[in-house]
Amino acid sequence: MKFVDLPGGAGKMPIVGYGTWQAVDSELEAALEEALTIGYRHIDTAYVYENEHVVGKVLKKWLDAGKVKRDELFVVTKLPEVGNRPDGVEKYIKRSLEKLQLDYIDLYLVHVPFSYIERGDEIHPRKEDGSMLIDPTTDHVAVWKAMEAQVAAGRTKAIGLSNFNERQIERVVANATIKPVNLQVEVHAYFQQKELEKLCKKHGITMVAYSPLGSKSMQSILAQIGIQKELPDLFDNQVVLGIAEKLGKTPAQVLLRHTTQRGIAVIPKSVNPQRMKENFEILNFELTEEDVKALDGLDQGPAARVLDFSFFKGITEHPEFPF
């Protein structure tokens, strides 16, 4: 495994991780068992995925059996929108630690730059018309100070951001005592985030790519809530197919390798054992300069963004909506 060094001695993050979004209960339990058996040690989850308890169950089983040591794991989870205020940070990281059955998180991220008004235990509180119950008073600097306190308390080794735009990142960095060590955002061949990558390099922030294969499956999920959006299938792209055939690799392996050769970690999600194994085995080959140039040429910019949070009705009205 290749690792990404987090700044400030905050640890080493395996460059290939296992994503768990949209995976729950018995399906995730079996898949995570398989992922750990394959060799995945970087596990990505979030409070809003509602699967931390499953991740915790599997990890405890492996730790108790001595099949893996805690310092060999790199566990990532995230502060939910309803906790995106100074007094919510400690409350929700403690909840995540309890569900994960861990003493500390390796990397704790602010999941999104916007927030909801907390209402009971609802994860996505909505008004009667179905729109989100947004909290327009989000204060990133105040939230970040509370995130820093979690490092001091030993609840997490490192802290970072997710889905923040350039302006929002700059604001946090300018007011941070402990700077963000990582930014998790959507990155794939059609949406390569080169400008955001430059900003991260400027500030020494590492990156993790979610939806690194484009998340074609999001199309059906959006359709279920009445959003008709045609999403491209990267596996059908002739450039990708040509390189895959030449190298004797799968399209997914080519796409993931393209991102990791930039030094960006990837967290592909699959519950298919064969695909999980293929997604993990991407460090035993390298793309040529010609291959990289051809794949770089597929970038379509923000127009190719898959996850724009449009399924959260009214979210664009939040003053910190990032896109």
Side-chain angles (χ1 to χ4, degrees):
M1 176 52 64
K2 180 181 177 182
F3 296 85
V4 175
D5 289 324
L6 300 180
K12 291 179 175 291
M13 174 174 62
I15 202 166
V16 181
Y18 183 67
T20 66
W21 184 43
Q22 298 175 350
V24 295
D25 301 331
S26 59
E27 179 186 57
L28 174 59
E29 187 173 344
L32 187 51
E33 284 271 4
E34 183 66 26
L36 290 167
T37 299
I38 289 168
Y40 287 89
R41 294 296 181 263
H42 172 178
I43 311 298
D44 182 89
T45 184
Y47 188 88
V48 298
Y49 298 171
E50 298 185 83
N51 63 16
E52 288 175 315
H53 64 290
V54 181
V55 174
K57 178 182 178 181
V58 176
L59 294 184
K60 187 175 190 309
K61 178 181 174 182
W62 276 63
L63 288 164
D64 287 351
K67 295 166 74 174
V68 68
K69 296 177 181 177
R70 178 64 185 93
D71 61 7
E72 294 173 336
L73 294 170
F74 190 90
V75 181
V76 183
T77 193
K78 309 173 190 83
L79 176 71
E81 294 94 316
V82 291
N84 212 355
R85 57 187 57 81
D87 62 357
V89 177
E90 182 172 325
K91 173 182 176 178
Y92 281 95
I93 194 173
K94 283 182 174 179
R95 286 189 178 185
S96 288
L97 285 167
E98 183 178 356
K99 291 173 187 290
L100 291 166
Q101 301 186 63
L102 296 174
D103 294 326
Y104 66 89
I105 307 296
D106 293 276
L107 176 60
Y108 195 53
L109 305 176
V110 182
H111 202 158
V112 293
F114 50 83
S115 57
Y116 304 145
I117 293 173
E118 192 173 27
R119 187 170 64 189
D121 288 329
E122 293 180 59
I123 291 177
H124 298 296
R126 289 176 167 84
K127 301 176 186 176
E128 288 186 6
D129 65 0
S131 62
M132 306 313 300
L133 191 63
I134 63 174
D135 176 2
T137 67
T138 309
D139 182 341
H140 294 155
V141 174
V143 169
W144 191 252
K145 294 302 178 188
M147 291 285 285
E148 292 175 335
Q150 304 315 303
V151 179
R155 297 186 187 99
T156 183
K157 288 194 170 184
I159 48 178
L161 306 169
S162 181
N163 298 302
F164 276 53
N165 63 30
E166 293 182 32
R167 173 183 55 81
Q168 293 164 336
I169 294 166
E170 290 279 20
R171 182 195 304 142
V172 171
V173 169
N175 291 278
T177 300
I178 302 174
K179 291 186 179 181
V181 302
N182 183 257
L183 174 70
Q184 186 180 125
V185 288
E186 179 182 339
V187 179
H188 48 77
Y190 285 165
F191 186 36
Q192 296 180 29
Q193 298 267 37
K194 293 292 179 70
E195 290 304 311
L196 207 50
E197 182 184 12
K198 288 179 186 175
L199 178 71
C200 286
K201 284 183 176 177
K202 169 186 167 185
H203 293 299
I205 299 171
T206 63
M207 291 180 71
V208 168
Y210 70 70
S211 298
L213 300 174
S215 285
K216 175 71 173 175
S217 61
M218 273 295 294
Q219 189 165 311
S220 60
I221 295 168
L222 293 173
Q224 291 172 13
I225 55 175
I227 298 174
Q228 301 302 321
K229 185 174 182 177
E230 183 65 32
L231 299 179
D233 190 344
L234 284 165
F235 295 168
D236 281 343
N237 183 278
Q238 292 305 305
V239 172
V240 176
L241 288 169
I243 294 172
E245 184 177 3
K246 179 186 72 171
L247 295 174
K249 300 295 180 181
T250 68
Q253 288 174 321
V254 168
L255 291 164
L256 294 172
R257 189 69 182 119
H258 178 235
T259 301
T260 58
Q261 274 190 214
R262 294 167 60 189
I264 298 174
V266 292
I267 47 170
K269 178 258 176 180
S270 176
V271 294
N272 179 294
Q274 181 59 32
R275 292 197 195 113
M276 290 162 62
K277 189 171 186 294
E278 290 170 353
N279 291 346
F280 189 72
E281 295 174 344
I282 61 167
L283 301 176
N284 59 356
F285 73 100
E286 195 159 317
L287 300 171
T288 66
E289 286 186 24
E290 183 181 1
D291 293 336
V292 170
K293 185 176 180 180
L295 291 165
D296 283 353
L298 299 179
D299 194 9
Q300 299 173 12
R305 187 191 302 277
V306 173
L307 191 65
D308 61 4
F309 301 108
S310 58
F311 45 86
F312 293 134
K313 183 179 178 182
I315 199 60
T316 57
E317 297 173 11
H318 194 287
E320 293 294 353
F321 179 74
F323 313 133

